[in-house]
Amino acid sequence: MSKPTYYITTPIYYSSGNFHIGHCYTTVICDAIARFKRMDGYDVFYLTGTDEHGQKVQQKAESAGVTPKQFVDKLYDQIVRLWKVLNISYDKFIRTTDDYHEQTVQKIYQKLLDSDDIYKSHYEGWYCTPCESFWTESQLVDGKCPDCGREVKLQQEESYFFRLSKYQDRLIEFYRQNPDFISPKSRMNEMINNFIKPGLKDLCISRTTFDWGVKLPFDPKHVAYVWVDALGNYITALGYLQEDHSLFDKFWPADLHMVGKEIVRFHTIIWPALLMALGLPLPKKVYGHGWVLFDNDKMSKSKGNAVDPFFLADRYGADAVRYFLLREIPFGSDGVYSNEALLNRTNADLVNDLGNLVSRTTAMITQYFGGVIPRPNGYNKLDRELIDLCEGTLAQVRADMDALSAPDALTDIFKIVQRANKYIDETTPWTLNKNGDKERLATVMYVLAECIRFAATLLVPFVPTTAQKIFDKLGLPLPADFDAIKRFGGIGDGVTVTKGENLFDRIDIDKELKELDKIAAEKNVESQKNSPQVPQITIEDFAKVKLMTAKVIACERVAKSDKLLLLKLQTGDEVRQVVSGIAQYYTPEYMLGKTVVLVSNLKPVKIRGVESNGMILCAADGKNVVFVTPEQDIGSGKEVR
Ligand code: MSP
């Protein structure tokens, strides 16, 4: 009989570099689920990958002075290395720059055009470049992107639109018939109330202001909207619309799209509507997990608080990192990362509970039975309690994993570990030994070895390296599935244990936290050393710069440049023209009537053959550029000092 299939996906990651521990969350959870399902008899396909197109990548590559492909290649190498370090057992890694993916996205667009699900029009909306999302005025929060809180800019362009509005009723009906489609439940309400009820608008699904993307086959000056390109990965990776579509036939629809809560909207509205338009079955579940927070803020590199998973895995072991993420972050809601929490968790569960049980048991079997696990001699009531616990735990853990709750699954597995530790205290094997009660001692040792075997088998999906080490110590092969723990009593004759090194070394938490602070401080000094020294200037130096307010009375794009705007500025009675490199951040229409701050005594220069008399002040953070404006209207031509 063929095995049931299970198709699980992570989102494909933005190639933004410097991955932090929060990034590892989705992938580690999916890995635990995928490994669990494999051991539980499913034919699993676990997909992950990278999301490599879009304006953001193009801009970053430009600032780094490399091509977009060179830029994403470097980040691809980094993320593949990260998943290797963390032992991620994906079956396929897709890159949106893979040829087959790009070609299939083109076929998808063509199919949508042929079925009249796409039409050409104009788009005007507020665009958040970091999130690659368009927003309507009413969706903005304090005029900023509702997802990330950053600046948005008004953008207008010729675009193709997907008839999303046409699918509104079908989506509502689908949710009604599949109440578990969006999980946890709260996210379903969020989607319906915030997005569906106000009315779905057709979706702009092509861009013309940059070209790092999949070109539309019927209008190549347009590139595919990154989200359509990215969401498509879930089916292109399986061979949809390709010659070999056997994986697609076998695994689609997906059993689970695991995503962070901020991208549930794309996966539960846009993605199902696109699939409906393509005439394909919809995924069975989208789970929106919470965030790993850092000091109660979403961890993000741009906020300067990234925590390096390579460093943590190297210092404490990949399994300590995996265990922390799976056990400590309450599934479905947000959780907080701190070094202290990681170290406490490691010491309490991995060193004290698990490590102690394994080392005490292997040491006693070595001391009392020359290392060979003895045969049991009949079980008493106490033993039966442990046997029942072991035999009942798989069903319990399976229920936890069906509810996608790794913290609950680990809590249940650790009940065996904790119960077994208590059993050592209750049976006091050293007394049995002293009293010469070898028969009872043999049973106790056997029960303990079996408890370890049960716990370690169940731990394989979560902490695979540690589980392997435990099986090595027990002198048993790593089990490939859960069949081996259906019945207590699986350890046969003549199995020899080895005590060897500790599974995890106890961490002196105070000392280690100080050490981590020292390392962080050294890193800071290092990065300051590497940043160029800015020379100090005197007030007289500064006075040489004549700054004044100026009003934009006309504005247009500089011909053949996608970066430059030509601004006509009123400064008191005078009008002058300035060329500014802000075309990717502001439209001419938006700039009209705005007051800017002008460096008025710059020597005139020609930029792209156009004379520029001065420069306008802008603030930049490497992603966004925003112009500086007076806090209140003060008129044009006023001195700024
Ligand atoms: N490229 C899109 C997904 C396209 S899928 C068709 C994207 N990429 S991402 O790199 O920003 O995020 C990848 C995953 O990492 C998401 O599930 C996201 O929620 C997760 N995380 C990134 N930072 C996180 C935390 N601090 N905490 C938990 N998960 C977070 O979105």
Side-chain angles (χ1 to χ4, degrees):
M1 209 179 69
S2 66
K3 292 179 178 179
T5 58
Y6 192 80
Y7 180 29
I8 177 170
T9 68
T10 70
I12 45 172
Y13 281 69
Y14 283 132
S15 307
S16 54
N18 286 344
F19 300 102
H20 54 66
I21 187 154
H23 281 122
C24 307
Y25 188 55
T26 324
T27 310
V28 167
I29 289 173
C30 287
D31 189 61
I33 299 170
R35 286 175 182 268
F36 186 88
K37 287 280 179 191
R38 283 189 201 110
M39 287 184 71
D40 209 19
Y42 286 78
D43 188 349
V44 172
F45 197 80
Y46 173 17
L47 178 72
T48 191
T50 38
D51 189 352
E52 302 187 353
H53 289 130
Q55 189 170 16
K56 195 167 49 171
V57 171
Q58 185 162 338
Q59 283 169 356
K60 283 194 172 180
E62 265 169 36
S63 5
V66 295
T67 65
K69 183 71 168 100
Q70 285 168 329
F71 185 79
V72 292
D73 279 351
K74 213 165 136 206
L75 296 163
Y76 162 74
D77 289 345
Q78 198 186 350
I79 200 163
V80 167
R81 205 156 49 81
L82 179 58
W83 299 154
K84 198 168 165 43
V85 165
L86 290 177
N87 255 310
I88 305 298
S89 64
Y90 55 79
D91 294 288
K92 179 161 180 161
F93 192 105
I94 181 169
R95 304 179 63 179
T96 51
T97 51
D98 286 336
D99 285 346
Y100 74 86
H101 171 79
E102 293 189 346
Q103 286 156 15
T104 314
V105 169
Q106 290 184 323
K107 287 185 201 162
I108 289 174
Y109 267 81
Q110 188 63 54
K111 209 165 175 315
L112 293 172
L113 185 78
D114 295 346
S115 61
D116 192 34
D117 277 291
I118 285 182
Y119 63 93
K120 193 170 180 176
S121 181
H122 277 90
Y123 187 83
E124 186 174 275
W126 296 94
Y127 194 70
C128 174
T129 309
C131 294
E132 316 258 19
S133 303
F134 273 110
W135 302 98
T136 60
E137 184 91 40
S138 63
Q139 286 173 324
L140 300 181
V141 176
D142 297 331
K144 305 235 166 77
C145 171
D147 267 357
C148 72
R150 280 179 273 215
E151 294 293 333
V152 287
K153 51 189 191 283
L154 196 62
Q155 235 161 265
Q156 204 210 33
E157 60 187 83
E158 177 193 281
S159 291
Y160 285 89
F161 282 74
F162 170 59
R163 294 189 196 280
L164 183 60
S165 57
K166 178 172 134 187
Y167 292 96
Q168 168 150 343
D169 294 343
R170 278 179 66 186
L171 280 172
I172 294 175
E173 183 52 22
F174 177 76
Y175 297 159
R176 207 183 54 75
Q177 285 182 8
N178 299 275
D180 294 330
F181 171 62
I182 309 178
S183 291
K185 274 238 156 26
S186 55
R187 308 221 192 276
M188 168 86 98
N189 303 335
E190 215 175 288
M191 289 305 117
I192 294 178
N193 295 332
N194 298 356
F195 297 103
I196 309 251
K197 276 201 181 144
L200 287 179
K201 298 217 168 39
D202 288 351
L203 178 74
C204 167
I205 53 158
S206 77
R207 308 289 316 278
T208 52
T209 51
F210 63 93
D211 61 5
W212 179 240
V214 178
K215 296 201 174 11
L216 301 199
F218 41 85
D219 198 347
K221 75 173 187 295
H222 288 254
V223 293
Y225 172 41
V226 275
W227 270 100
V228 175
D229 172 2
L231 288 161
N233 94 88
Y234 300 131
I235 49 178
T236 65
L238 297 181
Y240 174 62
L241 295 181
Q242 293 154 59
E243 206 175 318
D244 180 0
H245 45 78
S246 49
L247 287 175
F248 182 75
D249 298 341
K250 180 170 173 188
F251 287 105
W252 190 256
D255 293 272
L256 178 63
H257 289 317
M258 179 68 77
V259 304
K261 62 180 179 183
E262 78 285 11
I263 53 173
V264 168
R265 183 170 71 95
F266 298 95
H267 286 81
T268 57
I269 298 176
I270 299 176
W271 181 226
L274 283 168
L275 290 166
M276 284 175 182
L278 293 169
L280 293 176
L282 306 198
K284 292 179 197 155
K285 189 188 273 301
V286 174
Y287 194 100
H289 66 67
W291 286 338
V292 179
L293 303 174
F294 190 80
D295 287 343
N296 287 323
D297 208 356
K298 185 182 176 203
M299 217 178 276
S300 90
K301 175 165 64 66
S302 55
K303 288 179 181 151
N305 54 18
V307 177
D308 180 3
F310 286 105
F311 171 81
L312 295 175
D314 182 50
R315 200 166 174 89
Y316 309 112
D319 278 355
V321 175
R322 287 176 64 110
Y323 185 78
F324 174 84
L325 291 173
L326 293 165
R327 174 67 185 82
E328 185 87 11
I329 311 295
F331 201 57
S333 13
D334 295 344
V336 177
Y337 174 85
S338 71
N339 290 330
E340 195 175 352
L342 170 73
L343 302 181
N344 278 330
R345 217 4 121 185
T346 307
N347 261 3
D349 296 7
L350 300 177
V351 179
N352 283 359
D353 288 352
L354 184 64
N356 263 348
L357 174 66
V358 175
S359 72
R360 285 161 94 192
T361 305
T362 48
M364 287 189 291
I365 294 174
T366 307
Q367 191 187 337
Y368 305 143
F369 294 95
V372 181
I373 302 174
R375 299 301 306 160
N377 300 293
Y379 299 124
N380 67 18
K381 196 161 163 262
L382 182 65
D383 305 331
R384 294 247 168 253
E385 206 188 297
L386 276 85
I387 294 171
D388 290 347
L389 179 66
C390 283
E391 288 185 343
T393 302
L394 173 59
Q396 190 57 51
V397 173
R398 186 181 286 130
D400 297 331
M401 292 306 274
D402 283 345
L404 303 175
S405 180
D408 287 338
L410 285 167
T411 306
D412 283 325
I413 299 169
F414 268 74
K415 281 183 187 154
I416 300 182
V417 176
Q418 283 147 1
R419 186 67 195 84
N421 271 323
K422 194 167 157 227
Y423 176 82
I424 299 181
D425 301 337
E426 289 164 343
T427 52
T428 56
W430 45 93
T431 317
L432 296 174
N433 183 55
K434 207 165 90 196
N435 297 343
D437 192 351
K438 275 272 172 186
E439 277 200 3
R440 179 69 192 139
L441 186 61
T443 305
V444 169
M445 291 301 116
Y446 188 82
V447 168
L448 286 172
E450 271 293 273
C451 284
I452 294 175
R453 187 178 71 85
F454 267 72
T457 304
L458 288 163
L459 281 174
V460 174
F462 305 91
V463 282
T465 315
T466 306
Q468 174 72 64
K469 281 187 192 161
I470 297 175
F471 277 98
D472 290 346
K473 283 174 185 294
L474 284 183
L476 293 169
L478 190 79
D481 53 44
F482 293 131
D483 283 353
I485 53 165
K486 277 194 178 136
R487 286 267 158 274
F488 198 87
I491 297 179
D493 289 343
V495 176
T496 307
V497 304
T498 24
K499 186 171 178 306
E501 287 181 352
N502 286 341
L503 286 178
F504 292 91
D505 288 323
R506 175 176 308 283
I507 304 166
D508 178 337
I509 297 188
D510 287 342
K511 199 168 142 213
E512 181 64 5
L513 286 173
K514 284 196 192 111
E515 186 62 27
L516 289 175
D517 283 347
K518 210 172 109 201
I519 295 171
E522 278 164 10
K523 262 196 189 158
N524 250 341
V525 171
E526 202 51 42
S527 65
Q528 273 170 16
K529 260 199 230 148
N530 292 337
S531 63
Q533 286 289 315
V534 181
Q536 291 188 329
I537 59 166
T538 62
I539 188 82
E540 288 76 24
D541 291 331
F542 178 67
K544 288 183 195 155
V545 184
K546 292 287 171 228
L547 300 172
M548 65 169 70
T549 59
K551 188 164 184 171
V552 182
I553 53 170
C555 184
E556 61 189 55
R557 289 182 187 278
V558 171
K560 296 199 191 111
S561 166
D562 55 1
K563 291 206 176 122
L564 302 175
L565 288 185
L566 175 61
L567 303 131
K568 286 242 169 12
L569 301 176
Q570 176 105 41
T571 52
D573 298 335
E574 199 192 322
V575 172
R576 61 163 86 194
Q577 70 172 33
V578 166
V579 175
S580 177
I582 54 172
Q584 284 172 313
Y585 306 95
Y586 294 106
T587 59
E589 300 74 34
Y590 182 81
M591 292 307 294
L592 206 58
K594 296 285 185 299
T595 301
V596 294
V597 176
L598 172 75
V599 183
S600 64
N601 59 334
L602 267 188
K603 278 191 186 148
V605 286
K606 278 204 167 167
I607 304 174
R608 290 269 178 131
V610 184
E611 184 162 301
S612 181
N613 279 304
M615 183 178 95
I616 67 165
L617 292 191
C618 289
D621 69 355
K623 288 195 187 88
N624 264 325
V625 173
V626 292
F627 67 83
V628 175
T629 187
E631 189 258 334
Q632 285 179 35
D633 187 11
I634 191 169
S636 73
K638 303 292 183 301
E639 190 184 353
V640 177
R641 49 198 167 107

